[in-house]
Amino acid sequence: MSVVFPRGPAPVRANLTPLIDVTFLLIVFFALVSQIADTERIELQLPQPADSASAIAPDGSRVIVSLVSDEVTGAVTGYRLGALPFAADDAGRAALVSRMATFYGSNPDLAVRVRADGTASYPSVYEALQVITDAAREAELSDARVHLAIEQPRSAP
Amino acid sequence: MTAHSGTLAGASLGAESIADRLMRRRRRRPAFVGVPLTAMIDIVFLLLLYFLLSMQSRPREAIFALDLQIDQDESSTEETVDTDPFALQEPPMVIVVGSTGVGRDACTLDVRPIIASAGPPPRSIAELRPYLRSLRASDDGSTGLFRDSQTVIIQSSDATTRWEHVMGVYSAARQAGLTQITFEEPTS
């Protein structure tokens, strides 16, 4: 004896709403993260040593100092602390030292990542290292953690 | 007989009314209004793929981690350190780097002191790493000249020295296993 359903079998439908929710959340996340990274990391041609003994940049607490330099002369035309611009003169450097000392005061283990063009002159980068030293001294630290940024070589794993 | 036929007629009438009722119920039921989600999901996945690929296409950064020692009082030069007064001081190795143009190898090197037994001094960053490796002492100290704690000072020949060449020298020294590397203040 067979039973006949007058309406036919119930349709099997996948509930797509949670999938779409999660996908949109992922899109919003990637869009925001990429925008934050863009404002924090300006476009620079970092040095590319041939066989580098470098390490992958850790995800710990860090602040990024970028050096905006002239391509021809290699002289620094400005600094960026994260997204904040600072002039490459005495007043700008003093303001940068003060701001970084504030950061060091709140987090002594802060790592400062220095990003500079490969074409930047060595004296200008050394000056930036001196700024970091002055800020750490103002915050009464005994040492400062510095990360020199390079472009990851393609041969590295 | 009449009653029987009447019963049959009643039964057929009853069957028709059930069928009519079912048809009416089917007609009354509202049509399923479905939002076509396939196109939207396609676009959403394309956007997701775009953001993922655009993030990974950016060159990845690596770092050299170093600790800057901060001298709190620059004026105080007297330090009371318990050191052996008869210990021989190892002279630091000084590498003077200068830039001659654009490009990784467009630089000059001057490595001091000159060590005759190590062969000709390196003229490029590519030659520097094997040169430093050949000078490095073995673990038992039977061969080689420099320990890992050997101080290396990187100097610039003039103010036009590029950062990429300084970093090339620094990277070569790190590759050779040296850990005490100092950036000398550039001469103005």
Side-chain angles (χ1 to χ4, degrees):
Chain A
M1 181 177 178
S2 63
V3 179
V4 178
F5 294 99
R7 294 179 190 174
V12 178
R13 289 178 182 278
N15 190 5
L16 294 175
T17 313
L19 177 75
I20 295 167
D21 284 350
V22 170
T23 312
F24 269 114
L25 280 175
L26 284 172
I27 285 179
V28 170
F29 168 76
F30 281 118
L32 290 178
V33 164
S34 64
Q35 282 180 4
I36 289 169
D38 284 342
T39 56
E40 207 176 24
R41 292 194 305 165
I42 58 172
E43 190 74 25
L44 292 176
Q45 297 293 323
L46 299 176
Q48 293 175 276
D51 296 311
S52 174
S54 59
I56 302 295
D59 291 332
S61 60
R62 53 111 180 95
V63 66
I64 295 178
V65 175
S66 300
L67 278 68
V68 185
S69 58
D70 187 276
E71 275 188 27
V72 179
T73 63
V76 168
T77 56
Y79 300 100
R80 294 275 292 267
L81 177 63
L84 287 175
F86 291 89
D89 52 13
D90 289 342
R93 276 189 285 273
L96 184 57
V97 167
S98 175
R99 180 60 69 97
M100 287 185 59
T102 310
F103 287 161
Y104 274 132
S106 59
N107 183 7
D109 294 328
L110 187 74
V112 181
R113 188 184 303 177
V114 179
R115 301 176 74 244
D117 264 323
T119 57
S121 68
Y122 171 60
S124 60
V125 181
Y126 188 87
E127 210 167 40
L129 295 177
Q130 198 64 47
V131 166
I132 297 169
T133 307
D134 291 344
R137 185 178 292 120
E138 196 171 307
E140 298 180 349
L141 299 180
S142 60
D143 62 347
R145 294 171 60 206
V146 174
H147 293 168
L148 302 176
I150 61 165
E151 190 170 316
Q152 191 179 19
R154 298 197 185 279
S155 58
Chain B
M1 183 71 183
T2 311
H4 183 69
S5 61
T7 309
L8 279 175
S12 64
L13 272 174
E16 278 176 11
S17 64
I18 288 170
D20 285 345
R21 241 180 282 150
L22 277 173
M23 287 295 288
R24 257 183 268 125
R25 194 179 293 169
R26 276 187 191 166
R27 275 192 220 112
R28 247 185 272 137
R29 194 172 59 187
F32 177 73
V33 180
V35 181
L37 294 173
T38 313
M40 188 169 75
I41 293 168
D42 284 349
I43 292 172
V44 165
F45 271 109
L46 281 175
L47 284 171
L48 193 63
L49 203 64
Y50 164 76
F51 280 114
L52 280 172
L53 290 179
S54 65
M55 283 189 75
Q56 287 178 355
S57 66
R58 187 176 299 165
R60 294 181 65 189
E61 284 186 18
I63 56 149
F64 286 112
L66 54 106
D67 284 332
L68 292 181
Q69 299 298 320
I70 311 298
D71 186 9
Q72 282 298 332
D73 189 4
E74 287 180 315
S75 60
S76 69
T77 54
E78 291 183 5
E79 291 182 359
T80 55
V81 182
D82 293 332
T83 54
D84 183 2
F86 300 106
L88 291 174
Q89 296 291 321
E90 286 185 348
M93 171 177 272
V94 179
I95 303 173
V96 183
V97 56
S99 299
T100 56
V102 182
R104 191 185 292 165
D105 297 321
C107 65
T108 59
L109 293 179
D110 184 9
V111 182
R112 304 169 195 160
I114 296 172
I115 300 163
S117 61
R123 296 292 172 201
S124 67
I125 292 173
E127 293 175 7
L128 180 63
R129 186 166 60 96
Y131 179 80
L132 293 176
R133 277 239 170 113
S134 69
L135 292 176
R136 188 179 165 199
S138 59
D139 293 336
D140 57 356
S142 58
T143 58
L145 293 173
F146 292 157
R147 291 177 297 184
D148 290 349
S149 58
Q150 168 70 35
T151 303
V152 175
I153 298 174
I154 300 176
Q155 284 183 356
S156 60
S157 63
D158 53 25
T160 61
T161 303
R162 290 168 179 263
W163 178 236
E164 63 178 334
H165 298 136
V166 174
M167 286 304 289
V169 171
Y170 182 85
S171 172
R174 288 283 294 265
Q175 280 269 319
L178 297 166
T179 54
Q180 302 293 322
I181 306 167
T182 305
F183 291 112
E184 183 78 3
E185 185 172 358
T187 53
S188 55

